[in-house]
Amino acid sequence: MVKLKHGAHECVLTSPEIIADGICNICFKDKPIELACDLCNFDLCRACSKLPLKVSHDFHPEHPLEFCQGKKDGNESYKLCSGCGDLFSDQSLYYKCKECEIFLDLGCAILNNIKTSWYAEEKLHYSHAHLLRRCKPGADARGSCLMCELPLTPSAISYGCSQCYLFVHERCLDLPREIQHPVHQEHPLTRLDFTHTCGGGKVCDACGLYIEGAPLSCLKCSFYLHLRCADSLLRGLMHKSHHHKLFYLANNAKLRFKNGCRVCMRDDDGSYGDHLYHCVECGWRSHFKCLKLPESVVKKSCHIHPLVCKIFLPDNDDDSLEYCGVCETMVHAGHHAYCCEECGFLSHIECILHEEMPSLLYLKDLYSHGEKLTRPAVDHDDECETKELENKLLVIDITHNHVLRSGDVTASQIGCWICYRYIHGRLWECEKCDFNAHDNCVKLSQQSRYRFHLNHPLTLLPSYPAGVINMRCDTCKEKISSFNLFCRICNFIICTVCAISVKMRLGELQRGQKFIRYEQGKLCLRGGHDLVQVMVSSSYMVACTICEDRLCNGNIVSCPDCEEIYHSRCLELCRRYRTLENHPLHYNHILYLTRRETGSKCTACKLDIDLSKYVFFCSTCSLSFHFKCIQAVGISTRMKTHKHCLYNFGSDDSSSRPCTICNKPCGASFYGCNICNICAHVECIGYPTYVKNQRHQHIVNLKKICATKICYLCGLDTKFPDHKYQYTCDYCKDAFHTNCILMSMVESEAATEEEQISDLSNMLKDMDESDEEDGESS
């Protein structure tokens, strides 16, 4: 008894005691069995038992190809033979180079020598989500081309997907994408790409069947057609029972007659067959039998023999093509047609029953291969719309393309349609629907590489690729049902929730910002999210969300969720003083730190409050104050020329406020009264007796110069010609020039965090003392 361990089977094979014919498990031929495994019912003929475990060919001399059993190997369900170019199932037996991922089917492997390999070019095509390779469908050929929808043959040179076993003929790759079809004259019909057919795909409006390839579509009208249905609609039947052209259907009759046949007025009970005529324009339907089309005709202009109406069934089962003898387009198996029983002539019903010799219109007349589509003249409005579209962002969705414009958050809770988080900062909104998205999420639509998948670019899809069931995120393992980032080359997929989370963990923030570390225990003001410390490039103008001053390298923190960025000192100050009591600008009520809607004005400086900026707000009086106005205000004494306190303000707009006295612009720094709404230059109002601002931590007093002192700020003698007064601090005993202490706030250095906190405390204390003195004097 002969025993052999063969690579085609995991058990030891033995020669049978009685030689008999059987079906070989490799070649599937009925031959005498040479070796067998009785336990597994595995048989080998003599020729297949001699298959070598390794082969070598000149087209790949570097490594031998080893014999492999058919089993699942990666994401691909089919392998490409490098010898003949056929795709074969990974469940069959083949030879493989384990170093280079090169495959040969059994037929090519046992050849004497293969000198040149198959030219297996790879390319991405808009009709399918995955990478396509130049190949032939092989022995398992089935289905039709994604573009022309004609049946596939085993030897047709095509570009195929080894995961889905779908193909595009090589000659169909560059078919024009637009036609002007008479059934939809309002807009041209465009071949959709794979991004629009994600999820459940599209259903043909003519036949009601699922469209597997790239449908012809008008997205504006949500109108979809098979290519073959677009061809059939060119030869509609005109019948006396209806005033529109009727389109022949050969499926789903029971589902389409819920409202009854418009001729016999009865629902379909199965006795009328699965054939009907349907009007695409108005939805009118009729049983095929109810139209009472002639069973036989003689039309010499088309054919010399009598023609009989019957269901066309090919003589064999190999999907052979049959064409109409009148219009020369394909006649589908299972459809009614007029046939000649003498010579095999075949024709569509519509072509024979046309009253006159039809003036044929073919799809090639609507667009020709290699020729440009002739389009109607574009009017001025459409041309302007096209130019405007080029300057806007676009997100492709299943229903339509979202043309986005930048907008502002006007509601308290607006959700992002891409990542499903609330939008707090800048948003993008669709001009035609309720679609909203974060600025960072919209940028995902721009195909690019990411740090979590550097090998290939990722494409933003509105759902899982068409035809894929139960596709799950490679990160969270949850089922994909909405927007995701998809790799067309290696099938990597990640949901947008995980993608945004990973980007934040990897520090992929706004342009010009670099992640340093997470700030432990610090939360943002708006949503209470964790903060990260960042560095900001000097080339990118970014302002602090709180104080509105420009950020530069230093202690800067950012919230990726809310898209807010702060100085650390501003954030700490806001945390300590979320409420202010007895503030000199508004000492009657409590001020709360909050965000105000656009259109509000600061009560102090009278300038507009930008959207998404923080302000101190009095809910009783509905008054708002800029954070920097609250922070920068200084107290002056009650002057003889005015009965209220005057405060020192800083403004970014040097020409916005005219002086009440001289009517000239006040400049970047001025004194004003919060009650009377007046403002004036220092020179116009004279030197105030008491001054408090950021030049010194205490209130300074205006006094006549009695003895020479050195100015604490500039280091020069305080006694200049024509200078009879100086400012003196009663706490520190320091002296100051009047011009030094009243220097423009723009020229002064920013106070430190401790100085700001102390400044607020001293202002409140001094205000209380001033009120007590006024009470005693009265």
Side-chain angles (χ1 to χ4, degrees), residues 22 53 73 116 150 191 210 277 350 353 405 454 515 672 706:
L53 296 180
D73 185 12
T116 57
L150 294 177
R191 297 300 288 263
Y210 169 76
Y277 268 98
E350 298 84 3
L353 296 183
R405 62 170 180 264
L454 292 172
F515 172 86
C706 299

Side-chain angles (χ1 to χ4, degrees), residues 169 183 220 267 400 479 583 737:
H169 288 131
V183 77
K220 293 182 178 180
D267 294 336
H400 73 280
K479 187 177 179 180
H583 192 273
H737 289 120

